[in-house]
């Protein structure tokens, strides 16, 4: 009885570890790249794995298609065991998993069409069917007129689109994207992310995406796992992770793109400029902070929005504001109490 | 003045013998060397058929044979050649020794050219579930084809050089022609006739190899 029998789970990790052995016979050293990971990736989602370099995220994704063998633990993809399988036994599993790479890894000796056709040839498709499928895939990624070009004649974004077409050739259920936009400029990154979103929405393909950029997570991911030192330190929906990051690493990642809480040095400036009481309030879908403040203003409160940011993610509003509250002391107290009824209020210590 | 009415046909037949020895050696050493070179590449640490024992054995054998000057290898192999070919003399005996000498040179050239193939491309093929044999034939060799053609072209010149030395043990060919009819009779004109034919042959091969490699690499 496997632990991942639910129809909605596509990839499941149970206490999975990966240990690399380096060095020679006399001085053997071991490096634990992935440590005791439990993770379920659901059918149809875009699942991001974020972490700094060396966090083990690239190794983690390579375990899924067996490019790196699991050292210990249980790993299953679409009901098929991956751990403990030989290279030959893994071949059928891999045919149902597409993969794209940071450096694209296209065959330089083959044309764009030849690259896309290659996996079909290996899968034994007839020449006629291959031709039709290649045309369909190139159409999907918008490179029909580039079919006869060689990879070296393409831009980075175009190369990655060929990579996507090639990875999807045999209609896999799962697409692994290893830092697939890290070698691209911001504009091209958006273009490739847009394509990945289409792959997910239009073709229903589950995507596991490795990145070190929170912007990428925000743009496409439904759920995200944060890795640090080989461990998954936090998993949650992207909205959850952005709104309420728990682990220290997660907070750092979130603040890399969403800096809504002032730093120490900024606080000093805020205190200098605002004589009132400084409080941090969380903004979310429901709360009506403006309404509360305007009512409090009628009560004699003087307030100022001193710092903060509000954003929308997966159709959820979230953010943090730093408010400066001034005026008669009882009016300020009443205002804080009123705010507490709609959101969390945190005093900024003097 | 030389009598080119008799030397001419001899030069022609010597050229034919050289072409014969070089071609047969190229095919034999080219194929066996390709196999050994691929073997070295795939068994290397971190590659698709990593195998320390096999790699070490192949590597030692190649390193053992390669530095032996060909003229010495030719002499040293005498008894083996006699056992295999039946004689120590003539083009076929030379081909045997040349094949042994050239195989290991080919192996190194093949190994070095395959090492220039981007490991990421091999990883991409692995991620598609392609068998290791197909990865070797349709990815690694395909990706390295251009440089391999240049490597083999370089090798033809080396084999031509070997065939001239084989002339010294009575293999015939242009080396024999130049040594016996030119050098030993103090007749520079004959020697230079052989030199010119060799230069022309080598130029043709180099030209063809460059053209082919350029076509493959589209540069």
């Amino acid at each position: 009885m496997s632990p991942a029998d639910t129809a909605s789970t596509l990839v499941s990790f149970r206490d999975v570890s990966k240990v690399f052995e380096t060095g020679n016979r006399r001085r053997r050293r071991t490096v634990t790249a992935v440590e005791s990971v439990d993770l379920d990736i659901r059918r149809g989602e875009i699942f991001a794995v974020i972490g700094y370099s060396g966090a083990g995220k690239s190794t983690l994704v390579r375990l899924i298609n067996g490019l790196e063998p699991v050292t210990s633990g249980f790993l299953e993809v679409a009901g098929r065991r991956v751990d403990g399988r030989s290279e030959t036994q893994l071949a059928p599993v891999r045919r149902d998993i597409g993969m794209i790479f940071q450096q694209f890894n296209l065959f330089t000796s083959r044309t764009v069409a030849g690259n896309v056709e290659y996996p079909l040839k290996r899968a034994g498709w007839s020449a006629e069917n291959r031709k039709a499928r290649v045309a369909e895939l190139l159409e999907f990624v918008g490179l029909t007129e580039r079919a006869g070009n060689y990879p070296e004649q393409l831009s980075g974004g175009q190369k990655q689109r060929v990579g996507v077409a090639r990875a999807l050739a045999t209609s896999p259920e799962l697409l692994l994207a290893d830092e697939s936009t890290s070698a691209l400029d911001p504009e091209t990154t958006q273009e490739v992310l847009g394509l990945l979103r289409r792959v997910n929405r239009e073709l229903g393909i589950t995507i596991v995406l490795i990145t070190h950029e929170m912007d990428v997570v925000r743009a496409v991911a439904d759920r995200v796992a944060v890795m640090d030192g080989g461990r998954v330190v936090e998993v949650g929906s992207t909205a959850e992770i952005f709104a309420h990051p728990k682990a220290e690493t997660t907070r750092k990642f979130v603040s890399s793109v969403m800096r809504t809480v002032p730093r120490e040095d900024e606080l000093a400036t805020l205190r200098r400029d605002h004589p009132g009481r400084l409080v941090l309030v969380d903004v979310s879908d429901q709360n009506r902070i403006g309404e509360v403040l305007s009512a409090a203003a009628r009560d004699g409160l003087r307030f100022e929005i001193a710092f903060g940011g509000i954003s929308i993610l997966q159709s959820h509003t979230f953010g943090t504001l730093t408010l400066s509250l001034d005026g008669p002391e009882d009016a300020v107290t009443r205002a804080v109490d009123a705010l507490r009824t709609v959101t969390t209020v945190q005093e900024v210590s003097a | 003045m030389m009598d080119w009415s008799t030397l001419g046909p001899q030069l022609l037949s010597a050229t034919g013998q050289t072409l014969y020895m070089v071609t047969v050696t190229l095919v034999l050493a080219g194929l066996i060397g390709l196999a050994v070179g691929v073997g070295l590449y795939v068994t290397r640490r971190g590659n698709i058929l990593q195998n320390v024992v096999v790699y070490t054995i192949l590597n030692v054998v190649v390193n053992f044979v390669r530095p032996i000057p060909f003229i010495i290898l030719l002499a040293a192999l005498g008894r083996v050649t006699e056992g295999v070919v039946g004689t120590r003399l003539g083009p076929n005996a030379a081909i045997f020794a040349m094949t042994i000498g050239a195989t290991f040179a080919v192996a190194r050239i093949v190994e070095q050219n395959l090492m220039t193939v981007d490991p990421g491309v091999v990883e991409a093929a692995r991620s598609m579930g392609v068998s290791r044999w197909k990865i070797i034939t349709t990815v690694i060799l395909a990706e390295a084809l251009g440089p391999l053609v240049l490597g083999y072209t370089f090798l033809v010149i080396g084999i031509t050089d070997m065939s001239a030395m084989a002339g010294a043990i009575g293999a015939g060919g242009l080396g024999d022609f130049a040594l016996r009819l030119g050098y030993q009779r103090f007749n520079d004109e004959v020697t230079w006739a052989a030199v010119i034919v060799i230069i022309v042959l080598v130029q043709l091969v180099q030209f063809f190899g460059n053209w082919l490699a350029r076509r493959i690499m589209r540069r």
Side-chain angles (χ1 to χ4, degrees), chain A residues 202-224:
Chain A
E202 293 174 29
L203 308 176
I205 293 169
T206 310
I207 298 177
V208 177
L209 182 143
I210 303 300
T211 186
H212 64 273
E213 291 168 294
M214 211 56 185
D215 268 329
V216 170
V217 174
R218 175 156 68 177
V220 295
D222 298 310
R223 289 203 306 144
V224 55

Side-chain angles (χ1 to χ4, degrees), chain B:
Chain B
M1 208 35 214
M2 294 302 304
D3 180 7
W4 282 103
S5 63
T6 57
L7 276 174
Q10 276 181 288
L11 180 62
L12 200 67
S13 96
T15 306
Q17 282 168 343
T18 292
L19 285 175
Y20 168 72
M21 287 189 285
V22 171
T23 309
V24 175
T25 305
L26 180 67
V27 171
L28 291 177
L31 289 174
I32 305 168
L34 183 68
V36 178
V38 168
L40 277 167
Y41 170 81
V42 296
T43 57
R44 196 174 249 273
R45 186 189 289 271
N47 284 2
I48 55 172
L49 285 167
Q50 172 177 334
N51 188 321
V52 181
V53 177
V54 175
Y55 179 78
T56 308
I57 290 171
L58 287 176
N59 199 32
V60 166
V61 171
V62 171
N63 282 344
F64 183 77
V65 179
R66 273 238 303 160
I68 304 174
F70 181 64
I71 193 92
I72 293 169
L73 183 72
L74 204 57
L77 278 174
R79 200 159 298 196
V80 185
T81 308
E82 203 169 353
V84 175
V85 188
T87 171
R88 292 185 185 202
L89 299 174
N92 289 334
I95 284 168
F96 177 76
M98 284 163 69
T99 300
I100 302 230
T103 291
F104 296 98
V106 178
R108 270 293 178 240
I109 289 172
V110 168
E111 184 201 17
Q112 279 161 9
N113 282 316
L114 297 189
M115 274 165 59
T116 64
V117 173
D118 175 10
V121 175
V122 176
E123 190 173 55
R126 284 180 65 212
S127 81
M128 294 171 200
V130 179
S131 72
R132 281 176 281 208
W133 172 248
K134 283 287 177 192
I135 289 178
I136 293 168
T137 55
T138 64
V139 176
I140 295 167
L141 289 176
E143 290 287 300
L145 196 58
L148 278 177
V149 165
L150 289 177
Y152 273 88
T153 306
F154 175 74
L155 203 88
V156 172
I157 295 154
I159 295 176
T160 310
D161 185 26
M162 284 179 173
S163 81
M165 284 191 241
I169 60 149
L174 289 164
D176 179 50
F177 179 86
L179 286 173
R180 202 163 39 80
L181 302 177
Y183 179 73
Q184 285 170 10
R185 295 184 189 175
F186 304 102
N187 194 333
D188 287 351
E189 204 178 318
V190 169
T191 309
W192 277 100
V195 168
I196 287 164
V197 172
I198 288 176
I199 288 173
V200 169
L201 287 181
V202 165
Q203 286 295 331
L204 285 175
V205 167
Q206 188 71 55
F207 183 81
F208 175 72
N210 287 348
W211 172 81
L212 193 63
R214 210 169 31 240
R215 265 195 61 139
I216 291 165
M217 296 191 285
R218 307 168 313 277
R219 290 199 187 103

Side-chain angles (χ1 to χ4, degrees), chain A residues 90-301:
Chain A
L90 283 169
V93 181
R94 288 178 181 163
R95 279 183 217 120
D96 293 335
I97 305 175
M99 187 165 189
I100 57 174
F101 306 85
Q102 179 171 6
Q103 296 303 330
F104 324 121
N105 295 355
L106 299 181
F107 303 122
T108 58
S109 59
R110 295 172 200 274
T111 60
V112 167
N115 267 277
V116 180
E117 188 186 18
Y118 181 81
L120 299 171
K121 268 189 184 165
R122 296 287 80 81
W125 287 43
S126 74
E128 198 183 329
N129 290 343
R130 290 202 304 262
K131 208 178 156 209
R133 180 69 178 145
V134 169
E136 185 185 2
L137 288 157
L138 290 182
E139 167 90 52
F140 183 77
V141 301
L143 287 173
T144 304
E145 67 285 5
R146 292 294 203 156
N149 285 150
Y150 282 90
E152 68 201 26
Q153 299 168 294
L154 304 180
S155 69
Q158 289 171 327
K159 283 182 191 166
Q160 196 57 291
R161 276 147 65 194
V162 176
V164 170
R166 184 178 69 175
L168 299 182
T170 53
S171 307
E173 211 178 342
L174 173 65
L175 177 67
L176 307 177
D178 184 13
E179 295 278 7
S180 52
T181 58
S182 301
L184 304 173
D185 60 56
E187 198 174 321
T188 319
T189 294
Q190 288 311 314
E191 171 194 315
V192 170
L193 291 178
L195 176 61
L196 291 181
R197 221 179 285 119
R198 280 178 58 217
V199 166
N200 177 252
R201 304 282 138 82
E202 293 174 29
L203 308 176
I205 293 169
T206 310
I207 298 177
V208 177
L209 182 143
I210 303 300
T211 186
H212 64 273
E213 291 168 294
M214 211 56 185
D215 268 329
V216 170
V217 174
R218 175 156 68 177
V220 295
D222 298 310
R223 289 203 306 144
V224 55
V226 182
M227 282 192 81
D228 191 19
R231 288 177 172 273
V232 171
V233 293
E234 194 164 353
V235 189
S237 77
T238 305
E240 231 169 80
I241 292 279
F242 268 91
H244 307 290
K246 291 180 191 76
E248 183 56 33
T249 315
T250 317
R251 272 197 223 114
K252 274 188 204 158
F253 272 117
V254 171
S255 65
S256 72
V257 287
M258 279 288 303
R259 243 178 29 77
T260 58
V261 177
R263 286 192 311 256
E264 278 303 317
D265 56 320
E266 289 163 342
L267 263 182
T269 311
L270 292 179
R271 271 196 211 98
R272 192 193 65 205
D273 297 348
H274 300 280
R277 183 167 157 191
L278 290 177
V279 293
L280 279 171
V281 294
D282 279 344
V283 182
S284 62
D285 293 331
Q286 314 300 334
N287 60 35
R288 304 198 178 331
I289 288 163
E291 213 173 280
V292 170
L293 287 176
S294 48
R298 285 193 294 275
D299 188 32
L301 177 82

Side-chain angles (χ1 to χ4, degrees), chain A residues 13-18 34-37 63 70 72-75:
Chain A
F13 288 81
R14 288 291 173 278
D15 199 21
V16 170
S17 297
K18 171 66 187 180
V34 171
E35 200 175 347
S36 311
V37 166
L63 297 176
V70 168
S72 68
F74 172 97
L75 175 58

